[in-house]
């Protein structure tokens, strides 16, 4: 077998023939020719026999390493004059449009990006983290399931901060499939409007329930005409419990400040460490945190009362109670919190009262913590990794790669006679 034929088989890239190979230090330079005579537009199915011209400089793509050598594939590509998209460099079957990497290299990059930390990936693949982000965005753009937005019935909308200085993503979850199916940078009404404005089958009309936080932005978009005004708006109990936990934290900080300003810095310092003891579920406390909690109980006062209110509220949703029982417990809690003389809780009780029906709708439809929590915790983990990216697109792509409807296949998992 000739060396170029052997190399052709080993590189296993679809649609090309190796015409030459040379070594440049640790770089293996492989010259290839496209097999297809017809030119393809990279943006649409347009095909033609007529070439516009040939690019005077070669195009190149980094492929998977060969031994310790970096493999660079290069070819002189033609340009195509698409009636819709104008003059563009022709599409190649082995790489995504405008990428400097082969599809195989990108698939190999996307896989560990969903599984491990960024310094491991950057060192292992020898590319910087923002390049990983751009690769993720390209993989998501071509490989997400095309029908992911069809047949949506119960959905959830959530904002998540992906970078400091108020950079947010809005994520849309299909509660039935437990996948994040759509996302966009931002967190206001217009952000969610973009979902309803996406072309496609009339999917908005089939939506029966939308769960969300207690802010007005997403509800406004769902209620708009032509969106999903028929849908029941549910308030995920997760958000309600979070709000109550925040009220507890306000009381804790107030007590801490009083101690500090009252000339007792040692007690204040100890108290600051009580934060997690108060906010964590009692079942998850370390021995030390449990001891701190016992001390707080003996001390009593506002912080302890605030803690018992928070725990009482959390307990409403921790069990598997029916809607009527939950309604009764919420009402009782609202009246208890309103009379607590703890300003943060009086205020929170008002908010909970306003969203009572939404919370009960979530219970009735089974959109509760336990169901969303698994997915939420994966999203939070991925978002921490995505903070290293500089673009919202890359952060969103990493979330969709990990939690979206997509099947990542590594090159060796593809059929071994590839078309092209
Ligand atoms: Zn085109």
């Amino acid at each position: 077998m000739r060396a170029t034929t052997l190399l052709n088989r080993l590189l296993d890239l679809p649609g090309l023939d190796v015409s030459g190979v040379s070594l440049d230090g640790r770089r293996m330079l492989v010259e290839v020719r496209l097999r297809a005579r017809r030119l393809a537009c990279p943006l649409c199915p347009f095909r033609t026999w007529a070439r516009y011209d040939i690019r005077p400089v070669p195009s190149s793509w980094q492929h998977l390493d060969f031994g310790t050598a970096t493999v660079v594939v290069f070819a002189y590509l033609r340009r195509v004059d698409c009636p819709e998209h104008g003059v563009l460099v022709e599409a190649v079957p082995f790489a995504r449009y405008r990428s400097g990497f082969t599809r195989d290299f990108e698939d190999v990059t996307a896989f560990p990006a969903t599984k491990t930390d960024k310094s491991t990936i950057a060192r292992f693949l020898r590319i910087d983290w923002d390049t990983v982000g751009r690769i993720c965005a390209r993989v998501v753009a071509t490989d997400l399931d095309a029908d992911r937005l069809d047949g949506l019935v119960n959905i959830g909308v959530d904002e998540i901060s992906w970078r400091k200085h108020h950079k947010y993503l809005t994520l849309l979850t299909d509660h039935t499939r437990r996948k994040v199916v759509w996302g966009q940078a931002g967190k206001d009404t217009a952000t969610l409007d973009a979902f309803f404005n996406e072309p496609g089958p009339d999917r908005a009309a089939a939506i029966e329930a939308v769960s969300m936080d207690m802010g007005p932005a997403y509800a406004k978009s769902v209620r708009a005409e032509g969106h999903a005004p028929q849908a029941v708006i549910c308030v995920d109990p997760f958000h309600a419990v979070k709000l109550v936990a925040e009220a507890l934290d306000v009381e804790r900080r107030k007590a801490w400040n009083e101690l500090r300003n009252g000339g007792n810095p040692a007690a204040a310092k100890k108290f600051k460490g009580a934060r997690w003891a108060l906010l964590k579920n009692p079942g998850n406390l370390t021995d030390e945190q449990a001891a701190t909690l016992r001390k707080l109980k003996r001390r009593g006062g506002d912080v302890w009362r605030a803690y018992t209110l928070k725990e009482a509220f959390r307990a409403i949703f921790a069990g598997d109670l029916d809607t009527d029982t939950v309604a009764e417990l919420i009402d009782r809690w609202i009246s208890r919190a309103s009379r607590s003389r703890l300003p943060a809780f009086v205020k929170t009780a008002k908010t909970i009262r306003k969203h009572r029906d939404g919370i009960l709708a979530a219970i009735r439809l089974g959109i509760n913590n336990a169901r969303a929590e698994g997915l939420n915790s994966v999203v939070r983990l991925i978002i921490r990794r995505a903070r290293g990216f500089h673009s919202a697109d890359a952060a969103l792509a990493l979330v969709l790669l990990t939690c979206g409807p997509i099947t990542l296949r590594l090159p060796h998992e593809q059929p071994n006679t590839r078309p092209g």
Side-chain angles (χ1 to χ4, degrees), residues 41-46 82-86 88:
C41 172
L43 300 178
C44 71
F46 176 74
C82 171
E84 196 185 334
H85 297 105
L88 294 169

Side-chain angles (χ1 to χ4, degrees), residues 98-175:
R98 300 192 74 164
S99 174
F101 299 93
T102 62
R103 192 180 285 268
D104 284 353
F105 186 94
E106 295 191 332
D107 292 347
V108 163
T109 303
F111 182 74
T114 66
K115 314 266 180 213
T116 189
D117 66 280
K118 67 179 214 188
S119 56
T120 304
I121 297 160
R123 182 175 166 205
F124 181 63
L125 293 164
R126 291 179 277 168
I127 51 179
D128 67 65
W129 186 237
D130 266 325
T131 304
V132 173
R134 282 189 291 275
I135 288 175
C136 289
R138 279 193 294 268
V139 172
V140 160
T142 58
D143 289 19
L144 270 189
D145 290 358
D147 60 358
R148 66 191 178 279
L149 298 181
D150 298 346
L152 297 175
V153 178
N154 285 333
I155 61 171
V157 194
D158 255 312
E159 63 174 54
I160 187 157
S161 154
W162 72 273
R163 209 175 157 85
K164 269 189 227 163
H165 309 300
H166 308 288
K167 305 255 194 198
Y168 290 89
L169 292 176
T170 291
L171 299 177
L172 199 134
T173 304
D174 178 354
H175 285 310

